[in-house]
Structure formats: structure tokens, C-alpha cells
Amino acid sequence: MNPEDKHAGKLFILSGPSGAGKGTICKELLAQTQVELSISMTTRNPRVGETDGVSYYFATKEEFLRKIDAGGFLEYAEVYGNYYGTPKEPVIEKLAAGIDVILEIDMQGALKVKENYPDGVFIFILPPSMAELRKRLTGRGTETAEAIEMRLGETLKELSYIDKYDYCVVNGKLEEAVARVKAITIAEHSKVTFTAEELISKYKEEV
Amino acid sequence: MNPEDKHAGKLFILSGPSGAGKGTICKELLAQTQVELSISMTTRNPRVGETDGVSYYFATKEEFLRKIDAGGFLEYAEVYGNYYGTPKEPVIEKLAAGIDVILEIDMQGALKVKENYPDGVFIFILPPSMAELRKRLTGRGTETAEAIEMRLGETLKELSYIDKYDYCVVNGKLEEAVARVKAITIAEHSKVTFTAEELISKYKEEV
């Protein structure tokens, strides 16, 4: 509806501490809106049921390193000997085609994306409280109580990244948080991103 | 939902050319959301059915001029010998109480509000085209064809004010435009408006 904004997609970066629920919010957005997911590239082996270009782009280490050298990633990281990254080209192509892209990523990754694509819209997803975050992480049953306490300490430190974000959404009730992120995507497309001259010439043509 | 934003209302300025439909959008927002309308003060006489403090605050010219001197208006103007203005105090009081306030105003007025309250969220309401604007103004039946053409010429010039606005909403289908303005109000309340220290101390308390 923004007169000059029809053909430009936007990159929305959903980030925040583990357990804040950014993955769930992301899934809902994909189901409820036209936004498309950014697909990561990895050098790890495909697991059963994973399809190349859907779950991940699977690549050899050589291919991945070449792409790094070519500046082909919005961000990448090495985790336990495997590389993971967000290839730049498919994202840029979608944006140019007017498609909004969503990128779910941890806070370190989001900071790198910000360096490489400052025009992105950075949304920090927060748990309603540390107590609730502890409950959620405990409920997953994948980590020891000790590991969870360590993670909570880390999370508290990571909140300092909030300065780098445009928006902050507290994920208490999922449907409210999803509605809020959807509102952000709509508002971002309503921003004045054109000059007065562009607007006037558009309306002039029509007189 | 923004952790630090609970108690601060925001001032949303809905502005744009006559016939763009800002009044209708405003009415829908008042009906559908918690936002409250800013009430103007005027020196003109009340008409039948108008209540002081609801339609307008009615004041004498002396009262109005004293308020001007005291810096008591967000904006004011003299129209055909009568004064009209937006008193600052009731708006500021509502904002402080966490209530969002909406102000429907022409473009000249919006510019003055921006000088006096730059923290306002400025939304430009546009007609989908000049042809449609002509149709709407003609449909009102209150102006001659000549007067409408003059107004359209003025409108085209006034589009240059777009630079001063944060958002732009094209009012083609009313319900879409209303949804878009509602999204803007939600997104604005999701902006990061606090420091990392404030956020961390809030979450720390809860551990």
C-alpha cells in the first residue's frame, strides 16, 4: 500500500535467546503470511528426511570456504567443525522480487547480518521473565539443571545486544507475539522511504 | 508488551489532504482500539448538539490568546476570525497515563505539532490517486468543480510535506488502511526505547 514500496521486499531478522520462542513465532509467520524463510547453508551431512534447498543448502567444506572468500554470506559460523551460514544471493534475489524474507538466528549471527545488511529489520524476541525461560529450557529436557543455569547467565549478558535491534517483542502469549511481529512487518512497509519528488510525480501522472 | 513501554502513551498524528479519508480512519480507530481522540479548543460558538469537552473545548478569544502566550498549544490557527487549536496539557496528561492519543489534522497543523512534539508518530494518509480524490470531493457536493480543481492543485503541492512524516498509508480500501494504521500503533509500541542496562536490570530482578 506504500506507493513506492510495492516492489521491495524486506529482511526481518528474528533473534533472541534460546527458549524465547523465535522458532515458533517464525513458523507461525510462515504459515500465516507471505514471508519466506531464509535457508542456511551447511557443511554437515544431511540427516534422514532433510532435503537440499529446503532444510538447508548442503555444501562441501571447499564450496563453503570459497563462498566465504567471495563475500557470499550475510553471516556464517563454525560449530563443532561444521560450517553454517546464510547465503546472501538467494535473500537478495527474493527481496528484489518484492518478497519479504525472515531469518531466524542467534544474537551473534544477527550482529554479523547487521554489518552486512544494515537495512534489515532487527527484532529481538524476549521471554516474559527469566523464571519463565528457566521453565521452558527445563521443559525441553535436553540440558542439565547446571547447563541451564549457565545458559541463563549467558542470556542475561546477551540482553545487552538489545541496543542493536529496532524492535523488541516479549513472547508471553504466542498469538500476541506473532500478531506483534506481523504488525511490525506491515508498519515497516508503510514507512516513508521515497522522496517528495517521487511521490508528486507519481500522483501528477494520474491527474 | 514492550518491557519498558507499558506506561507511556504515544501521540499519533493522522494527516493528509482533504478527501484522503483521515476522518473516517480516525473514527474506526476510536471504535476498534483503546486510542483516545485529542479534542480541539475553539473560540467559535457551539453549534446545536455540540458539548464542551467532547466536540470541542469552547473558549473565549481572551482565554485562547492567554493560552497561546502561555505556550499551551501543540498547534493553533485562525480561520475566518475564529481560533482553533490543540491544547497541549490534556494530550500530555493522557500520554503520561499510558493512553495513546490520536490527532486528526491538516498538513500545516501537523508541521506545527512536529515542532512542538517531535516524539509524535506522523502518519500521512493518501488517496489512491488524484482521480479518486476528485471523485470523492465531487461526491461530497459541497464545492464547485472549479474549487475542486484548485484544491487538487494545492494537494499536489502539499504532497511535498511527506518528508516530514514517518509513515504513509494509502486509503484505497478503508479496512486495509485502518489495519495498516493499527499495525503502525502496535509496531511503535514494540520499538526499542530503553537501554540495555534498563532491560538487564529488569530481567535480573526476576532471577
Side-chain angles (χ1 to χ4, degrees):
Chain A
M1 288 297 278
N2 198 321
E4 301 299 322
D5 201 29
K6 278 172 203 148
H7 303 296
K10 279 177 189 282
L11 178 60
F12 295 97
I13 295 93
L14 247 66
S15 184
S18 182
K22 54 187 186 296
T24 319
I25 292 173
C26 201
K27 232 175 267 173
E28 287 298 316
L29 285 172
L30 291 171
Q32 294 179 28
T33 72
Q34 302 294 312
V35 73
E36 293 188 11
L37 188 67
S38 163
I39 297 160
S40 296
M41 183 172 277
T42 183
T43 59
R44 78 152 168 74
N45 290 325
R47 292 174 193 151
V48 176
E50 286 184 342
T51 312
D52 187 43
V54 179
S55 319
Y56 283 98
Y57 299 108
F58 293 102
T60 64
K61 194 173 172 185
E62 290 66 38
E63 288 167 334
F64 203 103
L65 294 176
R66 236 179 293 134
K67 213 180 191 39
I68 293 175
D69 285 342
F73 287 103
L74 286 176
E75 58 77 38
Y76 69 90
E78 200 188 339
V79 185
Y80 300 125
N82 288 313
Y83 284 91
Y84 296 83
T86 304
K88 197 188 281 181
E89 207 182 317
V91 171
I92 301 298
E93 277 174 5
K94 281 180 185 175
L95 299 180
I99 299 164
D100 283 342
V101 178
I102 198 159
L103 176 56
E104 184 210 333
I105 195 161
D106 63 20
M107 285 159 284
Q108 281 77 3
L111 291 184
K112 289 183 202 160
V113 174
K114 192 161 177 116
E115 281 171 30
N116 290 312
Y117 195 80
D119 285 348
V121 179
F122 292 79
I123 306 172
F124 205 81
I125 308 292
L126 279 173
S129 67
M130 294 301 276
E132 173 63 24
L133 186 58
R134 180 183 288 113
K135 209 174 116 190
R136 289 182 192 174
L137 293 173
T138 309
R140 286 183 181 178
T142 52
E143 286 178 287
T144 63
E146 201 186 353
I148 288 171
E149 289 310 313
M150 261 186 63
R151 188 188 281 278
L152 291 174
E154 280 303 307
T155 295
L156 214 48
K157 282 185 220 155
E158 286 175 328
L159 294 182
S160 64
Y161 293 134
I162 191 72
D163 293 347
K164 308 287 185 187
Y165 287 75
D166 303 298
Y167 297 98
C168 172
V169 173
V170 175
N171 183 19
K173 287 183 186 168
L174 178 64
E175 56 276 38
E176 278 178 22
V178 171
R180 199 159 274 265
V181 176
K182 278 162 76 174
I184 292 167
T185 66
I186 294 169
E188 280 290 323
H189 277 290
S190 305
K191 277 194 171 169
V192 176
T193 54
F194 43 84
T195 66
E197 288 68 34
E198 285 167 342
L199 183 68
I200 291 170
S201 77
K202 184 185 177 299
Y203 275 81
K204 223 174 204 164
E205 283 167 22
E206 294 169 351
V207 180
Chain B
M1 288 296 278
N2 198 322
E4 300 299 323
D5 200 29
K6 276 173 206 148
H7 303 297
K10 279 176 190 282
L11 177 60
F12 296 95
I13 295 94
L14 246 64
S15 184
S18 180
K22 54 188 185 295
T24 319
I25 292 172
C26 201
K27 231 174 270 173
E28 286 298 315
L29 286 172
L30 291 170
Q32 295 179 27
T33 72
Q34 303 294 312
V35 72
E36 294 189 11
L37 188 67
S38 162
I39 296 160
S40 296
M41 183 172 279
T42 182
T43 59
R44 79 152 167 75
N45 290 324
R47 293 176 191 150
V48 176
E50 285 184 343
T51 313
D52 187 43
V54 178
S55 319
Y56 285 96
Y57 299 109
F58 293 101
T60 64
K61 195 173 169 182
E62 290 65 39
E63 288 169 335
F64 203 104
L65 294 175
R66 234 180 293 132
K67 212 177 191 42
I68 292 175
D69 285 343
F73 287 104
L74 287 177
E75 58 78 36
Y76 69 91
E78 199 189 339
V79 184
Y80 301 123
N82 288 313
Y83 285 90
Y84 296 84
T86 304
K88 198 187 280 182
E89 207 183 317
V91 171
I92 300 298
E93 277 174 5
K94 281 181 184 174
L95 299 180
I99 299 165
D100 284 341
V101 179
I102 197 159
L103 177 54
E104 184 210 332
I105 196 161
D106 63 19
M107 285 159 283
Q108 281 77 4
L111 291 184
K112 289 183 202 158
V113 175
K114 192 160 176 116
E115 280 170 30
N116 290 313
Y117 195 79
D119 284 349
V121 179
F122 291 79
I123 306 174
F124 205 79
I125 308 292
L126 278 174
S129 66
M130 293 302 275
E132 173 63 23
L133 186 57
R134 181 182 289 115
K135 209 173 114 190
R136 289 182 192 173
L137 292 173
T138 308
R140 286 183 180 179
T142 52
E143 284 178 288
T144 63
E146 202 186 350
I148 288 170
E149 289 311 312
M150 261 186 61
R151 189 190 277 281
L152 290 174
E154 280 303 308
T155 295
L156 213 47
K157 282 183 219 153
E158 287 175 328
L159 295 182
S160 64
Y161 294 135
I162 190 74
D163 293 349
K164 309 286 184 189
Y165 288 75
D166 303 300
Y167 296 99
C168 172
V169 173
V170 175
N171 181 18
K173 286 183 186 166
L174 177 65
E175 56 277 35
E176 277 177 23
V178 171
R180 198 161 274 266
V181 176
K182 278 162 76 175
I184 291 167
T185 65
I186 295 168
E188 280 289 324
H189 277 291
S190 306
K191 278 192 171 171
V192 175
T193 53
F194 43 84
T195 66
E197 287 67 35
E198 285 167 342
L199 183 69
I200 291 169
S201 79
K202 183 185 178 295
Y203 275 82
K204 221 174 206 164
E205 283 167 21
E206 294 168 352
V207 178

